[in-house]
Amino acid sequence: MTRDEALFEFCLRLGDTTLILGHRVSEWCGHAPILEEDIALANTALDLIGETQMWLSLAGEIEGKGRNADDLAYLRDAWDFRNLLLVERPNGDFGRTVMRQFLYDAFASLMLAGLMKSADTRVAQIAAKASKEVAYHLERSADLVVRLGDGTAESHARMQAALDEHWPYALEMFVADDVDCVLAEVGIAPDPSTLRADWDALTGRVLSQATLDIPDSGFAHKGGKSGRHTEHLGHVLTEMQWLQRAYPGARW
Amino acid sequence: MVSTTLPSTAQVWDWLAEVPDPEIPVISVTDLGIVRSVEWQGDTLVVHVTPTYSGCPATSIIALDIETALRARGIENLRIERRLSPPWTTDWLSDEGREKLEAYGIAPPQPAGGPARCPHCGGTDLERISQFGSTPCKAQWRCRGCLEPFDYFKCI
């Protein structure tokens, strides 16, 4: 695998993850429990789609086959997507959505901090932009995890169930493969397994404040990073891509 | 043969200072600090614009507004380029822009991370409602004195 082949895959992983999470979060628009949360969710989704635009544009540039961010977002099928399995999980209740966001935000903040020092200037510039936005996402999701986890018996039980459900999917974030190794070697991206200790510390602090028990299982679902997805991704794409599929090349 | 003199970049900056931000029309795109450079490359005017937030939907409207304004001034060869780095920061808001924001009812960003005073009554007993607001760049706050909610332009 050449450096550029690895970087193309890596940009797809970042961009597809923000794209699918952004789409999932946008499903809340008009449905959140209170107006302020509705607005916060929509803003978070917007930032994630903005980050997608940057990562998928770079992926298209590296690939060099003339595909832009829209082509990559709307004209690939499930097996070509490289997002983490965690983000294609259905939203579930508000607590599940918040927990998924928190586990991802904590990872994203550490990954982007590493990418800001990337040997590839383009990667470093996108990371610098995105990390400012992710800081606000993490502040909100961590705050909500504590308020709901250390809330009523009902909200506590829901947050614990959310954590138990998401945990094995979250651990996929730290499983390194050939792509990660090639990029770590040349200083373009940190090996994700090296982020685990800081992630454990960050999430551990918040989850303990939220009076939630961290699952002791080390099992990780894998496949998203190489295009083997759960059945949920196809449904997301059906909704997200239908217009470009039904009316190819349609423009605003 | 007609010889024309290209307008100076200082002149172009003055013109850009009259282009309002589409979401917060009391401040201009230069007040907002998103126009990063103006330069002539041969007879083509190149304007570098940086996005506030990566997904801000106003970004493409801003580029269109800048283009429309400059074309109305007779500039024919024009290129607007997006510049990502260094990333936009609220430190680039002009002092004039901060004053205009406050007069409009939006508390300007503060290094402390929250508004200094209520833009309506000047009260300082304030509470945060949400770190997110009606546009990506704003948060929602409330004044406990006059009880009015208000927008705060958050630091980034």
Side-chain angles (χ1 to χ4, degrees), chain A residues 36-37 39-40 43-44 46-47 49-51 53-54 57 122 125-126 128-129 132-133 136-137 139-140 143, chain B residues 51-57 82 84-85 87-89 128-136 140 154-156:
Chain A
E36 286 75 12
E37 280 311 316
I39 292 169
N43 269 295
T44 303
L46 197 58
D47 288 342
I49 300 301
E51 290 166 31
Q53 181 77 37
M54 299 191 286
S57 293
R122 298 165 299 182
Q125 290 183 352
I126 295 173
K129 182 77 192 163
K132 288 180 159 213
E133 297 167 1
Y136 275 112
H137 301 170
E139 183 184 305
R140 169 179 167 272
D143 182 51
Chain B
T52 53
Y53 283 72
S54 61
C56 184
R82 190 176 76 150
L84 212 53
S85 182
W88 181 75
T89 161
R128 192 178 83 187
I129 300 171
S130 174
Q131 197 65 283
F132 293 83
S134 55
T135 63
Q140 301 172 71
K154 67 191 180 198
C155 289
I156 190 172

Side-chain angles (χ1 to χ4, degrees), chain A residues 198-211:
Chain A
D198 283 344
W199 185 83
D200 278 339
L202 199 170
T203 54
R205 270 198 308 277
V206 173
L207 294 172
S208 120
Q209 217 186 328
T211 70

Side-chain angles (χ1 to χ4, degrees), chain A residues 1-248:
Chain A
M1 191 184 322
T2 67
R3 203 185 93 147
D4 272 358
E5 283 165 357
L7 186 52
F8 171 67
E9 282 289 313
F10 185 72
C11 289
L12 288 185
R13 290 174 181 182
L14 294 169
D16 289 346
T17 295
T18 51
L19 175 62
I20 301 303
L21 182 59
H23 187 84
R24 275 290 188 222
V25 174
S26 78
E27 291 173 12
W28 276 100
C29 198
H31 301 280
I34 55 170
L35 181 62
E36 286 75 12
E37 280 311 316
D38 208 294
I39 292 169
L41 285 160
N43 269 295
T44 303
L46 197 58
D47 288 342
L48 289 166
I49 300 301
E51 290 166 31
T52 303
Q53 181 77 37
M54 299 191 286
W55 290 123
L56 292 188
S57 293
L58 179 56
E61 183 186 323
I62 291 161
E63 188 192 34
K65 291 181 184 169
R67 291 202 281 183
N68 63 24
D70 282 343
D71 295 332
L72 290 167
Y74 293 115
L75 302 177
R76 283 177 303 151
D77 215 332
W79 48 81
D80 290 327
F81 272 73
R82 298 289 182 263
N83 58 282
L84 296 165
L85 298 177
L86 175 72
V87 300
E88 67 198 46
R89 306 282 306 149
N91 285 338
D93 61 20
F94 182 69
R96 260 169 226 231
T97 296
V98 165
M99 181 59 79
R100 181 184 61 196
Q101 189 71 36
F102 170 64
L103 297 174
Y104 169 75
D105 288 343
F107 171 75
S109 70
L110 297 169
M111 175 54 88
L112 291 170
L115 292 178
M116 283 169 71
K117 293 176 275 182
S118 174
D120 188 302
T121 318
R122 298 165 299 182
V123 171
Q125 290 183 352
I126 295 173
K129 182 77 192 163
S131 77
K132 288 180 159 213
E133 297 167 1
V134 168
Y136 275 112
H137 301 170
L138 178 60
E139 183 184 305
R140 169 179 167 272
S141 60
D143 182 51
L144 283 172
V145 163
V146 173
R147 282 164 64 187
L148 294 170
D150 188 19
T152 64
E154 173 74 18
S155 72
H156 175 86
R158 285 181 183 236
M159 292 309 275
Q160 186 64 56
L163 179 59
D164 294 345
E165 180 189 305
H166 289 318
W167 190 257
Y169 292 96
L171 297 188
E172 184 189 14
M173 301 188 289
F174 306 103
V175 181
D177 64 4
D178 287 352
V179 170
D180 296 312
C181 294
V182 168
L183 296 182
E185 203 149 287
V186 290
I188 290 183
D191 177 336
S193 62
T194 62
L195 303 175
R196 178 70 195 269
D198 283 344
W199 185 83
D200 278 339
L202 199 170
T203 54
R205 270 198 308 277
V206 173
L207 294 172
S208 120
Q209 217 186 328
T211 70
L212 296 170
D213 295 325
I214 295 171
D216 58 7
S217 163
F219 171 73
H221 287 293
K222 292 182 284 290
K225 289 165 71 167
S226 54
R228 285 173 291 120
H229 292 278
T230 66
E231 69 272 30
H232 304 295
L233 181 64
H235 294 280
V236 172
L237 296 185
T238 301
E239 184 173 291
M240 195 180 82
Q241 297 181 332
W242 80 266
L243 193 134
Q244 281 301 324
R245 299 290 190 184
Y247 304 96

